[in-house]
Every structure is written in C-alpha cells, then in structure tokens.
Amino acid sequence: LASSVTWIRSTADQPWQTMPAPPLIQAEPDAPPQVRVWPGKTFQTIDGFGGCFNELGWAALGKASQADRENVMSALFSDNGCAFTMGRLPIGASDFALDWYSLDETPGDLELKDFSIARDEKSLIPFVKAAMAVRPTLRCWGSAWSPPAWMKTNNSYSKGSIKWEPSILRSY
C-alpha cells in the first residue's frame, strides 16, 4: 500500500520535494479514520472556499424560477449552505463561457483602448451580485483563462501560447 503513495512537499525555498511516504495501514471500510490533530500548531491558514463564476452557470440559473435561483444561491453562499466566501472570475472566456471571447478583441490594440467588460455586465457581474446579495463579504479574484486570440501564436483561443514579445507581455 505505501509503495503506491508519493508524498510531495513544497515550500517557498524548495518546491515539489519528494518525501518518504508516511506510514499507512489498511483500514477496514467501516472503521473510523485515524487522524492526528495538533490544536496548538497551525500548519496552514485557509482563506476560504468557493468556486468559479461563469456564463454557463448564470445561463442555467436564468432558466430557473426566481425562487429556485434564490435557493441555489443560498445553498452555495449562505451560512446554512456551502458558505462559499470566495469566487474566481474569468478575465475573458473560460471553458464554461457561452463561446470564446476576450475583453479586447481588436488585433494589435496593445494600449487596450477597446478593452470592455460590456459582455461581463450581462452575466458574470449579475452572477457575482446575486452571490453578494447572500454573502456581502464575498471576496473575488480575476484570472485569465487565455489571452486574446490576437496575442497568441496560433491566433486561436484553443491551444497555442502567448506570443513572448515584450509589447504583448506588457499589454497582457
């Protein structure tokens, strides 16, 4: 059993260090787990739990009744539900967008003069506001899934990679 486990430890100074596997014993399926807790020692701090806001999620909730949508939001964000306290916002499309898009579709617009969140104002922002109606202290962060296609080597949202050019990297 222990030979099938790889134990990895990462620190700021030594990321991805393979460690000796911890001792493991086969447990009976109905036996309670053996967990050792040191209440006087903090190993890590968890900032919160949550998920990712996306267009498909809001589109699905848009097909639900108002009461059902409120029940879902409560189940996710209220203290009586999952109590999510964090959310990721895709900057541009993610795999769960209605289709591929970025916040600046103008090829060569390195100054981002055409940068716009107009599309996000239709689904992502209302989704976040609905969550914040349940959990006003919700914390969010933005994370890009893909650069605009015009910033990529294959001019496509699928596959390819960002063009490693100083002007593209600065703009991105």
Side-chain angles (χ1 to χ4, degrees):
L1 182 64
S3 63
S4 65
V5 173
T6 302
W7 189 268
I8 304 292
R9 176 186 73 180
S10 288
T11 65
D13 297 329
Q14 296 180 317
W16 301 105
Q17 299 295 308
T18 302
M19 305 299 292
L24 299 175
I25 56 171
Q26 187 79 28
E28 295 298 319
D30 296 332
Q34 295 180 12
V35 178
R36 190 178 309 166
V37 177
W38 289 288
K41 182 165 174 74
T42 300
F43 290 95
Q44 68 186 38
T45 301
I46 297 172
D47 291 331
F49 291 93
C52 182
F53 293 96
N54 58 68
E55 287 182 325
L56 287 177
W58 191 244
L61 287 171
K63 295 179 187 303
S65 69
Q66 180 69 26
D68 285 344
R69 186 169 39 256
E70 289 173 5
N71 286 337
V72 167
M73 298 307 285
S74 179
L76 292 172
F77 297 99
S78 77
D79 288 337
N80 295 324
C82 294
F84 285 170
T85 58
M86 301 184 84
R88 181 178 81 90
L89 289 166
I91 299 172
S94 72
D95 282 354
F96 299 99
L98 297 172
D99 56 24
W100 289 107
Y101 75 98
S102 76
L103 302 184
D104 191 337
E105 294 289 337
T106 305
D109 183 17
L110 297 172
E111 295 179 18
L112 302 177
K113 291 179 180 177
D114 293 330
F115 183 92
S116 172
I117 63 165
R119 179 168 172 159
D120 291 343
E121 290 175 325
K122 296 176 187 169
S123 58
L124 287 178
I125 293 171
F127 198 173
V128 173
K129 285 184 176 182
M132 290 182 82
V134 178
R135 177 149 321 265
T137 58
L138 180 73
R139 295 187 308 171
C140 295
W141 77 96
S143 175
W145 194 262
S146 172
W150 58 270
M151 289 185 172
K152 294 181 69 177
T153 56
N154 65 351
N155 291 310
S156 172
Y157 287 106
S158 180
K159 301 183 181 175
S161 61
I162 193 166
K163 295 174 186 172
W164 286 95
E165 301 169 11
S167 60
I168 294 281
L169 296 172
R170 238 184 336 272
S171 180
Y172 188 57

